[in-house]
Amino acid sequence: MKIVAHGNGIAEIISDEILMPDPGEALQLIMDLYYQDYNKIIIREKNVTPAFFDLKTGVAGEILQKFSNYKARLVIIGHFTRYPGKSIRDFIYESNKGRQVNFLESLDLAVERLSK
């Protein structure tokens, strides 16, 4: 795992592995970055367990609750049109209206959103 700083407490995580396979590991990631003065995290879709994008599993809610509890902002970069369900599309749409968790298509958009 490599961390790239983008100022304003923004950390971009670069890895080929799944770094958030479950809520416990998501919390560990939040804590590891918090102690390095990062509270805004950019991660790629491939670094999140596929179960996250199947809302029936409840994994997304559990992971995002960790981010909310610790006041950490998250942007997941990816191409989310591959998820056909209305529920996940609605979830992403509603999330993108807020500031806590966003689903965006590029690093530039992620840094811009977290800089606000």
Side-chain angles (χ1 to χ4, degrees):
M1 175 175 81
K2 178 181 174 186
I3 300 171
V4 178
H6 291 279
N8 285 339
I10 301 172
E12 174 191 2
I13 309 302
I14 300 171
S15 178
D16 290 328
E17 301 174 20
I18 292 179
L19 300 174
M20 289 197 300
D22 57 58
E25 289 298 317
L27 178 58
Q28 186 63 51
L29 181 65
I30 294 166
M31 294 291 94
D32 290 348
L33 292 168
Y34 175 80
Y35 287 112
Q36 296 179 55
D37 291 326
Y38 296 111
N39 65 346
K40 300 171 186 173
I41 301 167
I42 299 169
I43 195 165
R44 285 165 179 73
E45 174 188 2
K46 70 179 181 180
N47 302 125
V48 180
T49 180
F52 180 96
F53 298 98
D54 180 359
L55 297 182
K56 290 179 277 184
T57 67
V59 172
E62 290 180 52
I63 287 176
L64 298 183
Q65 187 63 49
K66 303 292 184 203
F67 281 87
S68 178
N69 289 348
Y70 291 91
K71 296 178 175 65
R73 292 178 62 194
L74 174 67
V75 172
I76 301 174
I77 296 174
H79 297 287
F80 305 103
T81 55
R82 77 178 92 216
Y83 302 105
K86 180 177 177 357
S87 295
I88 190 68
R89 284 194 317 266
D90 290 348
F91 176 75
I92 289 170
Y93 176 79
E94 291 299 323
S95 293
N96 284 344
K97 286 182 174 181
R99 293 174 36 99
Q100 189 73 42
V101 178
N102 300 117
F103 298 85
L104 302 172
E105 293 185 7
S106 74
L107 177 60
D108 289 340
L109 290 173
V111 171
E112 179 182 333
R113 178 70 58 97
L114 290 174
S115 295
K116 294 179 182 179

